[in-house]
Amino acid sequence: MATIKRIGVLTSGGDAPGMNAAVRAVTRTALSCGMECIGIRRGWQGLINGDFVKLDSGSVGHILSRGGTILYTARSEDFMTEKGRQKAVATCKLLGLDGVVAIGGDGTFRGALELSRLGVPVVGVPATIDNDVGCTNYTIGFDSACNTAIECIDKLRDTMQSHERCSVVEVMGRNAGFLALYVGIAVGATAVLVPEHELDFDRDVIERIRESRLAGNTHFMIVVAEGVGSAVEIGKQIQEALGIQPRVTVLGHLQRGGSPTARDRETATRMGYYAVKALAEGRGNCIIGTQEGGIVELPIEEALAKEKHLQMDRYHIMETMQFGNWVKSAP
Ligand code: F6P
C-alpha cells in the first residue's frame, strides 16, 4: 500500500452546518497519522484553479461551533468537463496530493467518482441539509437545519395563534421532503406537503384545515417543501377555497446557517475521522455513511446507485397527530 503523505480536503455544493467540524476532524486525523493536510477552497473549482491553503491544527481551531465552511463552497461547471477534471488532476500532482476528502452531497460525489476514475483516491463525507444521500441514513447539517426551522416556526405560531391566522411556511428541499416532514411532525403542522407524496390539494390541504377548524382550532400551520411548488401560490389557493388570508413565510437560506447542533458536530467529527482512516488504509474510492448509528463505507459507484425514500409511516404519523381517526390516507 502506498504511503499517503499529503491529502486535500474540500467542501462543495450547498453548505451545511457541521461542514467545519468535518474539516477540523479531517485535518487533525490526518496530522495524527503523520500526513499533511491542504484545504482546497471553493470546492471542485478550487481544485481546478489550484486555490488552496495549508491547514495545521491551529488553523482549524475554534471552527467546531461555526456554521458555513471556512473553505468556502461552490458549484463548478468546469468540473463537469473532461478538460476541467484534467486540470484538477494536474493540481493534485503539482501539490503532491495522494488523496482528497470531499464533503458535500450527491453532486459532490458524482465529481468524486469522476476524479477517482482519473486515478486520484477520493473519499466522500455526506453533508447536506436535505438528508437526501442514498448511501447514508444521515447527512451532516440536517439536524441543525431542522432545529433552525422549528425555532422559526414556533415563533410564527405565537403570532398566528394571537391573530387566529393560517401560516404557509416553505422550507428547503428541492427534491426531497425529509426536512419538511421532520419539521412538520416536530411543530405539529396542520398539513405537510412533500415532493414524494402526490398532492391532492383538496384532501391534503383544504380538508385538513377545515377539519382542524371543526376540531376547534383557529390557527393553522402548513409546511411546504420547496420542491412541491411556490408557497405563495399555495397560500392563494387556500384563500380562494376557504376565504381566509394565509400569511406566507419562506425560510430559505436561514436554514443553512447557524451553529451546528451536537448531533451534527459529533457525526461530522466521526465521519471526518473515518474518511482519513479509509484513505490511510488504502480504501480510496468510497463514501462514508451512517447506518443505525454506526459508520459504514461504500464504494462511490455503489453508493451513488443507492436510493433513499422518505419514510411514509412518518407522513401517516404526522396526519394522525392532528385528527386521530379522521385520517383518510392509508399508511
Ligand atoms: O443544500 C441543498 C439545498 O438547500 C436545496 O434544498 C435547495 O434547493 C438548494 O440547496 C438551494 O441552494 P442554492 O440557493 O445555494 O442554489
Side-chain angles (χ1 to χ4, degrees):
M1 193 192 312
T3 314
I4 305 243
K5 291 199 206 110
R6 189 175 300 116
I7 63 167
V9 56
L10 59 84
T11 52
S12 168
D15 64 352
M19 276 184 162
N20 279 329
V23 170
R24 170 180 176 270
V26 168
T27 306
R28 292 199 173 162
T29 307
L31 296 174
S32 81
C33 295
M35 304 172 189
E36 283 179 38
C37 191
I38 305 292
I40 307 295
R41 291 188 292 210
R42 303 176 179 89
W44 296 125
Q45 192 61 41
L47 200 59
I48 291 171
N49 297 342
D51 183 0
F52 72 93
V53 56
K54 281 180 97 175
L55 297 175
D56 58 23
S57 192
S59 52
V60 292
H62 310 292
I63 65 167
L64 186 58
S65 59
R66 276 173 59 187
T69 161
I70 60 160
L71 294 179
Y72 306 102
T73 184
R75 295 187 173 96
S76 173
E77 297 275 321
D78 292 347
F79 199 74
M80 297 189 183
T81 67
E82 183 61 26
K83 199 172 154 209
R85 291 193 290 270
Q86 290 295 352
K87 278 193 188 168
V89 173
T91 303
C92 291
K93 273 196 191 138
L94 181 65
L95 300 181
L97 300 182
D98 301 312
V100 172
V101 176
I103 303 165
D106 264 348
T108 304
F109 301 150
R110 278 191 289 277
L113 179 63
E114 294 303 330
L115 194 64
S116 71
R117 282 180 174 151
L118 295 173
V120 179
V122 189
V123 175
V125 169
T128 160
I129 67 159
D130 292 343
N131 200 25
D132 61 348
V133 175
C135 66
T136 180
N137 66 2
Y138 188 76
T139 61
I140 297 163
F142 179 67
D143 189 56
S144 305
C146 283
N147 281 303
T148 298
I150 288 166
E151 199 185 326
C152 294
I153 296 173
D154 284 349
K155 286 179 180 164
L156 264 177
R157 187 182 282 284
D158 291 344
T159 172
M160 290 301 123
Q161 185 178 28
S162 311
H163 288 265
E164 302 180 283
R165 278 176 174 155
C166 174
S167 214
V168 181
V169 187
E170 184 180 302
V171 299
M172 275 190 166
R174 198 161 26 201
N175 305 310
F178 293 98
L179 190 61
L181 189 52
Y182 274 62
V183 165
I185 290 174
V187 300
T190 313
V192 180
L193 279 51
V194 291
E196 295 87 344
H197 180 82
E198 201 185 332
L199 179 64
D200 175 333
F201 201 78
D202 217 41
R203 179 196 63 198
D204 298 332
V205 182
I206 301 305
E207 273 306 310
R208 290 186 66 80
I209 295 174
R210 186 171 284 137
E211 287 295 326
S212 180
R213 180 69 194 94
L214 286 168
N217 295 317
T218 57
H219 73 282
F220 317 99
M221 189 63 70
I222 315 297
V223 176
V224 186
E226 64 173 317
V228 171
S230 150
V232 173
E233 277 312 309
I234 288 162
K236 277 187 196 154
Q237 286 181 51
I238 293 173
Q239 184 167 353
E240 276 163 27
L242 293 170
I244 57 176
Q245 290 167 344
R247 295 298 192 264
V248 175
T249 306
V250 178
L251 295 183
H253 292 82
L254 268 178
Q255 297 158 98
R256 289 225 301 243
S259 181
T261 59
R263 182 173 186 184
D264 283 326
R265 296 180 197 194
E266 196 270 347
T267 307
T269 303
R270 276 191 301 140
M271 285 183 170
Y273 171 89
Y274 281 109
V276 176
K277 289 286 169 189
L279 275 177
E281 289 162 17
R283 298 184 305 281
N285 303 319
C286 65
I287 296 180
I288 303 296
T290 57
Q291 292 300 344
E292 286 153 22
I295 294 287
V296 292
E297 223 181 270
L298 271 186
I300 304 179
E301 209 160 354
E302 204 179 308
L304 282 172
K306 292 251 177 218
E307 286 183 10
K308 182 154 90 183
H309 300 287
L310 191 67
Q311 308 91 334
M312 292 317 286
D313 64 319
R314 285 199 163 95
Y315 190 87
H316 180 64
I317 290 165
M318 175 280 295
E319 289 186 311
T320 308
M321 287 307 110
Q322 286 292 320
F323 309 117
N325 61 8
W326 173 84
V327 175
K328 286 177 182 158
S329 64

